[in-house]
Amino acid sequence: MDLRDSLDLLMFAMLCVVLLTGFPVAFTLAGIALIFGLIGMAFGVFDFGFMAALPQRIYGNMTNDVLIAVPLFVFMGTMLERSRVAEELLENMGRLFGRLRGGLGISVSVVGALLAASTGIVGATVVTMGLLALPTMLRRGYDPALASGSIAAAGTLGQIIPPSIVLVLLGDQLANSYQRAQLDQGIFAPDTLSVGDLFAGALIPGLMLVVFYILYQIVRAALDPKSSPAMPADDTLTTAELYRRTLRALIPPVALIVAVMGSILGGIATPTEAAALGAIGSILLAGDRLQGMKFPARLAALSLIALLILTWAMDLRTARSEISDADRAGIWLAYALCAGVAYGLLACLIRLLGGKVLSDVVQSTARITSMVFVILIGAALFSLVFRGLGGDDTVREFLTAVPGGPMGAVIIVMAIMFLLGFFLDFIEIIFVVVPIVAPILLMMGVDPVWLGIMMAINLQTSFLTPPFGFALFYLRGVAPDTVTTMQIYRGAVPFVLIQIFALAVIAMFPALATWLPKLLFSGM
């Protein structure tokens, strides 16, 4: 093969090599793109006119309503991390399930699912549970590998259980790919794919994964009782008191989950609007834990819930020529409820700002969001140059030549993404790999929602696969010295196999991912 015909492949290979050196991702993407763009111009195989599309792409990304959900969900997760929701959940769930063999492992999986649906930030979840649950599990005689693997795997549930930042970013990339695939097929009135479709599609697979984790804990406890012994009952608490404390710890995060996901799945709000709702809810939850803030926080929370119900039940639009008396009364009630939300929110913000909680959360949100968007700009440049060097044609020829048709192509793509997950971050894979392969797979007739869920679960494994799984690094940073790195790696392997099994189940039964979105958004 002539060198000039293989520049696209060399470009991708060089990207992987440089990323492994630890050089910043955004600069690597942009730098490799510029270098190979210049090399392509020197060989006469790249038209620098492709670069003219870069400013428009950057502007489009910065003004994309869907991507506004990213900083809002990050803010929500970071604020909830500081409000000690995880601590209360772990403590009470541990007491509730701990009397059973494998009970502490089950409680970690349940709490991981709840935190995933309320925070969605893997690092915060793994670190929090590593600090709180891991010492308890080790003290109760749990196998260090099992305890480590349980915590790391439960922490990664935030990647698949909505609302998830992975699904927001993946949904945006797949929506663009789906539209492009249809236009290339001559369909000039293309169907659309929304982040809400992926949220609905991920709900059943995400819960299925939690069930698989719990089943593994139960089976492991039955086959090897010494690895996960039961915890002695706490005689200082009556059963009624235990249930009361557990409910008190459960109700706030569950209420927030229902408000955010219910508003999306019920068609009341878009994912971006629901993210704003979640950010407000997290502020109120944090405020509720401050002395003297319970009344303003709870008034605002109840007003917010009433406002959601009112929005669902009535037409509150004011820009109408005719408004009935009932709707007019509903509009004025909505104004009063908004005032209640504003009062409670302002009171909580002032107290959180005084305690420096708000400034820390805002700075953390700004850092994470900036990282995502800078990588997005670098990936846009990389994608343009890769396409200009004929990379799309190379990938299309390869995937269409794979035996087995569309399913064979999907299996190859899943295998490549799985292997890349050993070395690359999920953001890099979403922004670099997905725009290259997704349009081709979608042109082959693959369902976009099913493909998105398959990719999301595959990307979730990248947090658990040694040697560079981020969840493993987070846990290593907070684990006691008695837990070795090899024990953490060994504990993660069964959960990686569980995720691969979940991928196989969804591949065999696509309706697990496609049934709920069709039911909710297509009326089928």
Side-chain angles (χ1 to χ4, degrees):
M1 181 184 290
D2 188 87
L3 176 62
R4 65 187 66 193
D5 294 330
S6 58
L7 280 177
D8 50 352
L9 299 178
L10 287 173
M11 178 182 176
F12 193 84
M14 184 60 68
L15 172 69
C16 295
V17 170
V18 177
L19 285 175
L20 289 176
T21 66
F23 201 73
V25 176
F27 301 127
T28 299
L29 288 166
I32 294 292
L34 288 173
I35 290 170
F36 274 83
L38 294 173
I39 293 173
M41 287 178 62
F43 280 110
V45 294
F46 179 71
D47 181 4
F48 208 73
F50 274 89
M51 296 296 189
L54 182 62
Q56 186 60 37
R57 281 203 173 193
I58 295 174
Y59 179 77
N61 289 330
M62 295 302 105
T63 56
N64 189 334
D65 288 343
V66 173
L67 293 179
I68 295 174
V70 173
L72 292 171
F73 279 134
V74 172
F75 180 92
M76 180 178 88
T78 309
M79 182 63 78
L80 287 175
E81 178 199 352
R82 306 296 171 89
S83 63
R84 303 183 64 179
V85 170
E87 292 183 31
E88 284 195 12
L89 281 173
L90 277 170
E91 180 181 349
N92 290 286
M93 285 294 178
R95 289 196 182 112
L96 189 64
F97 292 106
R99 305 174 190 180
L100 308 171
R101 281 182 183 170
L104 284 177
I106 294 172
S107 67
V108 163
S109 297
V110 172
V111 171
L114 290 170
L115 293 178
S118 54
T119 66
I121 298 180
V122 172
T125 304
V126 172
V127 168
T128 302
M129 292 201 297
L131 288 170
L132 299 175
L134 186 56
T136 302
M137 296 175 83
L138 296 176
R139 192 167 58 249
R140 299 298 179 184
Y142 264 68
D143 177 66
L146 175 61
S148 301
S150 301
I151 290 171
T156 64
L157 288 170
Q159 300 299 91
I160 183 63
I161 295 180
S164 159
I165 294 172
V166 168
L167 293 176
V168 173
L169 298 177
L170 194 57
D172 178 65
Q173 295 297 316
L174 282 175
N176 295 333
S177 299
Y178 191 37
Q179 186 177 42
R180 182 177 149 208
Q182 292 178 90
L183 292 174
D184 288 346
Q185 291 175 302
I187 302 172
F188 298 107
D191 294 331
T192 57
L193 174 71
S194 70
V195 173
D197 291 322
L198 287 189
F199 278 8
L203 203 55
I204 294 175
L207 295 176
M208 180 185 73
L209 203 55
V210 177
V211 171
F212 286 170
Y213 285 177
I214 293 174
L215 288 175
Y216 171 70
Q217 301 283 356
I218 294 172
V219 171
R220 180 70 184 269
L223 297 177
D224 184 11
K226 292 182 179 179
S227 67
S228 46
M231 190 172 73
D234 187 351
D235 296 330
T236 62
L237 287 178
T238 65
T239 303
E241 177 68 13
L242 177 59
Y243 285 136
R244 189 182 68 80
R245 288 192 179 188
T246 304
L247 279 175
R248 190 172 62 189
L250 269 176
I251 288 174
V254 168
L256 184 62
I257 292 165
V258 170
V260 173
M261 287 304 302
S263 62
I264 296 172
L265 301 181
I268 299 173
T270 65
T272 302
E273 293 164 348
L277 174 66
I280 292 173
S282 67
I283 293 172
L284 298 180
L285 277 180
D288 184 62
R289 295 167 185 274
L290 298 175
Q291 188 174 3
M293 284 289 103
K294 290 191 181 299
F295 173 74
R298 293 179 182 181
L299 173 66
L302 291 173
S303 299
L304 197 58
I305 293 169
L307 196 57
L308 283 173
I309 296 172
L310 195 64
T311 303
W312 172 75
M314 303 183 71
D315 187 352
L316 301 180
R317 293 175 301 156
T318 57
R320 290 183 285 161
S321 56
E322 294 184 6
I323 302 177
S324 66
D325 291 340
D327 285 348
R328 195 178 300 279
I331 290 170
W332 282 109
L333 178 57
Y335 283 141
L337 293 173
C338 286
V341 173
Y343 162 71
L345 187 62
L346 184 61
C348 292
L349 284 172
I350 291 173
R351 283 294 301 275
L352 290 170
L353 184 61
K356 295 186 178 180
V357 173
L358 185 61
S359 59
D360 291 343
V361 171
V362 169
Q363 288 177 21
S364 178
T365 302
R367 280 195 301 270
I368 296 172
T369 306
S370 299
M371 176 197 70
V372 171
F373 278 85
V374 171
I375 292 175
L376 182 56
I377 293 171
L381 179 56
F382 182 91
S383 177
L384 283 172
V385 175
F386 186 81
R387 189 166 294 129
L389 291 173
D392 282 5
D393 296 331
T394 303
V395 174
R396 184 180 295 108
E397 290 171 6
F398 171 71
L399 291 179
T400 52
V402 169
M407 183 53 70
V410 169
I411 292 173
I412 290 295
V413 169
M414 290 295 115
I416 292 172
M417 290 179 68
F418 179 76
L419 292 174
L420 289 175
F422 279 80
F423 310 104
L424 303 182
D425 186 19
F426 75 94
I427 297 178
E428 300 151 27
I429 297 174
I430 289 176
F431 288 157
V432 176
V433 179
V434 174
I436 295 172
V437 300
I440 301 164
L441 295 176
L442 295 172
M443 286 182 68
M444 297 171 74
V446 176
D447 185 279
V449 174
W450 176 80
L451 179 63
I453 302 309
M454 292 284 286
M455 287 182 167
I457 294 180
N458 200 339
L459 290 171
Q460 184 186 350
T461 64
S462 69
F463 275 83
L464 289 175
T465 46
F468 299 123
F470 281 86
L472 309 181
F473 279 146
Y474 295 142
L475 187 59
R476 174 66 278 172
V478 297
D481 293 337
T482 54
V483 179
T484 67
T485 301
M486 285 308 300
Q487 286 174 325
I488 295 176
Y489 285 172
R490 195 170 68 250
V493 171
F495 292 94
V496 172
L497 296 176
I498 289 172
Q499 291 177 349
I500 294 173
F501 175 71
L503 275 175
V505 171
I506 297 169
M508 290 187 290
F509 304 101
L512 289 169
T514 59
W515 173 75
L516 190 57
K518 288 179 180 178
L519 178 69
L520 293 174
F521 303 123
S522 301
M524 298 176 63

